[in-house]
Structures are given as C-alpha cells and as structure tokens.
Amino acid sequence: MTKTETIKFSKIILNWYDFNARKLPWRIEPKNSKKGILINPYHTLVSEFMLQQTSVKTVIPYFKNFIQKWPSIEKLSNASEDEVLSEWAGLGYYSRARNLIKCSIILREKFNNTLPSNLHYLQNLPGVGPYTAAAIRSIAFNQPAVVIDGNVERVISRLFCIEKPVKSSKKLIYCLTDQVTCKKRPGDFAQALMDIGATICNSKKPKCNICPLLKHCKAYKNNLTLSIPHKEKKKKKPTRYGYAFFCIFKKKYLILEKRPENGLLGGMMSLPTSDWKERKEIVNIPKIFTNYHEIKGDISHSFSHFNLKLKVLIIKKNQLPKNMKIQKITELDLKSFPKIFQKIINHALNSDYLNNLKN
C-alpha cells in the first residue's frame, strides 16, 4: 500500500470502530480515546493476561471481580498467591495468575506501581510476550506497536489473500500489519482489527456483506474467504487416564492437597489424584487411599494438549495424610476449584453411594 492508501485504509477502519466498538469493561469508548483520554494501564495488563487463550465472554465476569478485589498494582502485589489463584479458579492456565502476581511485585519494586510503555521493559515482565507487550503499549498508552492476535492474523490473511498457513506466514503478516497500522490512533486501530475479526471476519461464517474492508479484501475478490487462512490438520489429542480420590475425613471434611507449583494446575487446591497416564490399565493406588468405593461413570475433561478421563473413588479416613488439608464438605466453595475438580466434586456429592452414607 502507498502512504495515501494506508491513510485511507486507516480512516475506514477507525470510522467503523467509532460506531461499532465492542463495549468491554477494560476499554474506554472511542469518543474518549479521541480526546486523548487513556485507560488505566493496569486494567489492560489484567485483561490481556486473562484473554490469553480464553474468550472475551468468559473473561468479562472474572475481570470485573478481579479489579473489584485488587483495584491497583499495589493491592495485587500484596495479595497472597492462594487468594489470587482461588479468584482465578475456573479460568484455566493458572501460570498466568502466578505471573501476574510476579509482574505486580516487580512493578511495585522497580517502577513505583506503574506500568512502563517501553516494549523492552514490558517484555522482560513475567508472562509478557511480544503480543502482550505490543497490546499494552498500543491500547494502554496509545503508542505505535504491531498488535497481532488470532483475529488480526485472520483479517490480514484474508485482506491480502495469504494462502499459506498462518504458522508459515508470521513474518509476512507482521510486515503487512505494520504497514497498515495507524500511527495516530494505534490503540483504537488495534482494537478495531480485533473487533472486525471477532464479530465480522470470523473463521466459519464471515459476514462479508457488512465488512468495512470488503472492497479491499483480496480473498473475497478471489472467492477464497472460507479457505483462508489455510488450516493445517490438527493432531488428535491423546487421552490420559487416572483416579481422583474423594476422601472424607471424620465424616464431615474433604481432604485436599495443593498441586505442585510447576505442574498442570500448579499451586491450586484440589483433590488428591493418581498420575495421569496414556493407558487404561489399573494404576498403582497409594496405600493411604485403599478401601475405596468406585463411583459409576467417568469424569471427562479437555486440556489444551490432551483429553482426560478420571474415575472417582470415595474413601473414608480417620487419619489425615501428611501435607494435606481439610475443608468442611458443607462449606465447600466450588468456584475456588479448577473446573475438572468442580466436576469431580459434583459427581461425588450427587452419587447414590454418598447419599446413602448420609442416610
């Protein structure tokens, strides 16, 4: 694109955004951003962490609760990890929460509870990669940066009719996005491209008839909209198997453990489980969890890299195993557990066997 074409393109995108921007709790309206009003950078930081591999719809209530509980970098930096992980429960990818806490501590100690706009400083923060750093710089500080998420990759691929898979076109997509990015309103421009990708230029049923970029879209002109971006065949996810132990202590309490920091669901409170292996054979059940009753049915859950099937064993204990904690069954807050354990607890509590024990 020539400079004139780029300016014209920017105007089309921003004019559309001025009237069609999604109203999200971590944003400010275009009418305010045009006046030079900036959003609280901390809000951008939290939202970008939450939005990593998670949908906007899922994030909204979590973001509202999180900001209400920890309204500033300083407040978050003084929070305990257990407290933050509990609030994050159900959102998944818990390393994000731990990295966010680490970020807040660094920002408190090195940046006086403020967020830098410099890309180098941003990318040195825990859990902040090139995309997140660019999004913060652009959206929070309205400074030029190339912001590319999955939605932008799709829009740019179709706009310029890039027929190769996204994985092998990253550099080209970056150059083309850089070429068209508006330097005067970079934050609004980045969010506009995201919104077009999320609401119009979606992957399966693009609404080309209402797209502001229709006249410029080379994929549309070549009748290739549905085949771009080219999709590579996804590898079938393996299935892992194991046991979850619903251990009742002295008839009133549920035995819980904290998962290892570096593993899956790291640092979260959960039920004890066996290892999760890609085999159906009987796994070795620890001696402390013998004399069990197996509940009918499996609990299925899907993680990013594998599917999981667990059998649930109910066990009655009068001695508390080492390094484990207890919580009254009647006072359980399911929302404080990861989703897989929410399923397991519900499955056990609603089982005929447990209901017969109560009677």
Side-chain angles (χ1 to χ4, degrees):
M1 283 187 179
T2 64
K3 187 176 180 179
T4 302
E5 288 174 327
T6 301
I7 293 171
K8 182 180 179 181
F9 180 81
S10 295
K11 285 183 178 179
I12 292 170
I13 295 290
L14 290 170
N15 284 340
W16 177 87
Y17 184 71
D18 287 343
F19 292 97
N20 297 280
R22 288 181 292 177
K23 292 183 179 180
L24 302 173
W26 49 84
R27 281 187 181 177
I28 58 172
E29 293 184 20
K31 65 180 181 181
N32 292 324
S33 63
K34 285 196 289 185
K35 296 176 184 177
I37 299 171
L38 297 177
I39 194 168
N40 183 336
Y42 171 64
H43 290 189
T44 306
L45 177 71
V46 173
S47 65
E48 288 300 332
F49 265 73
M50 288 186 169
L51 288 164
Q52 292 169 12
Q53 297 180 291
T54 308
S55 70
V56 167
K57 183 179 179 181
T58 300
V59 165
I60 288 174
Y62 280 92
F63 175 84
K64 288 180 177 178
N65 291 337
F66 199 94
I67 293 298
Q68 185 175 4
K69 195 159 190 175
W70 300 290
S72 68
I73 292 171
E74 185 177 12
K75 292 283 187 183
L76 180 59
S77 69
N78 290 315
S80 72
E81 184 176 289
D82 286 348
E83 192 179 14
V84 175
L85 286 173
S86 178
E87 194 68 29
W88 199 278
L91 197 56
Y93 302 99
Y94 297 97
S95 60
R96 295 178 298 175
R98 294 195 298 276
N99 281 331
L100 188 54
I101 298 168
K102 292 174 185 175
C103 278
S104 68
I105 294 170
I106 292 171
L107 294 172
R108 181 191 69 199
E109 294 177 350
K110 295 185 177 181
F111 295 94
N112 194 28
N113 291 312
T114 61
L115 199 61
S117 63
N118 180 283
L119 285 176
H120 172 73
Y121 289 143
L122 287 169
Q123 287 190 51
N124 280 328
L125 292 172
V128 177
Y131 163 75
T132 303
I136 291 170
R137 175 176 166 83
S138 175
I139 296 168
F141 298 101
N142 199 36
Q143 295 184 19
V146 182
V147 185
I148 304 175
D149 70 351
N151 287 313
V152 174
E153 286 178 337
R154 186 168 57 255
V155 172
I156 295 296
S157 294
R158 286 174 173 169
L159 188 64
F160 292 96
C161 202
I162 302 171
E163 296 188 57
K164 292 182 179 180
V166 168
K167 280 187 178 180
S168 57
S169 306
K170 295 282 186 181
K171 288 184 179 179
L172 177 57
I173 291 171
Y174 182 95
C175 291
L176 292 170
T177 307
D178 186 27
Q179 182 182 329
V180 301
T181 295
C182 174
K183 302 301 186 286
K184 289 185 178 180
R185 293 174 60 191
D188 283 349
F189 186 85
Q191 291 174 108
L193 278 186
M194 292 178 195
D195 280 10
I196 289 172
T199 64
I200 295 177
C201 192
N202 55 58
S203 57
K204 294 182 179 178
K205 293 183 179 180
K207 303 170 186 175
C208 298
N209 59 315
I210 60 170
C211 181
L213 302 176
L214 183 62
K215 293 181 180 179
H216 301 273
C217 184
K218 292 182 180 179
Y220 180 80
K221 288 178 182 177
N222 291 288
N223 198 30
L224 293 171
T225 308
L226 292 178
S227 60
I228 293 178
H230 179 72
K231 295 176 181 65
E232 293 181 307
K233 284 186 178 180
K234 288 185 178 180
K235 291 182 180 179
K236 187 178 179 181
K237 288 196 288 189
T239 300
R240 298 181 186 177
Y241 302 86
Y243 289 103
F245 308 117
F246 191 93
C247 300
I248 303 169
F249 178 66
K250 292 186 177 180
K251 300 182 180 180
K252 294 182 180 180
Y253 302 91
L254 183 63
I255 294 176
L256 303 172
E257 68 176 1
K258 188 173 183 179
R259 294 184 66 83
E261 295 289 340
N262 297 325
L264 192 63
L265 308 177
M268 296 295 294
M269 291 304 298
S270 70
L271 301 181
T273 72
S274 68
D275 291 336
W276 301 343
K277 301 292 185 180
E278 289 180 36
R279 52 172 169 66
K280 289 186 178 180
E281 306 94 70
I282 297 296
V283 296
N284 292 324
I285 297 175
K287 290 181 180 179
I288 58 171
F289 298 132
T290 53
N291 299 321
Y292 58 80
H293 174 85
E294 183 179 318
I295 305 176
K296 291 181 180 179
D298 295 338
I299 294 298
S300 298
H301 192 76
S302 182
F303 291 98
S304 57
H305 301 299
F306 67 92
N307 295 316
L308 178 64
K309 284 192 175 182
L310 296 178
K311 292 187 179 297
V312 183
L313 308 183
I314 293 181
I315 300 147
K316 292 179 283 184
K317 300 288 293 182
N318 289 318
Q319 285 187 322
L320 184 64
K322 288 183 179 179
N323 301 320
M324 294 195 182
K325 299 182 179 180
I326 58 173
Q327 190 171 342
K328 268 193 174 181
I329 294 175
T330 55
E331 296 177 1
L332 286 174
D333 178 12
L334 284 182
K335 291 181 181 178
S336 67
F337 293 91
K339 285 183 179 178
I340 174 64
F341 292 103
Q342 292 181 26
K343 293 179 184 179
I344 293 166
I345 293 170
N346 271 324
H347 185 58
L349 291 177
N350 293 319
S351 68
D352 292 337
Y353 179 79
L354 203 59
N355 286 324
N356 288 336
L357 284 181
K358 294 175 186 176
N359 299 328

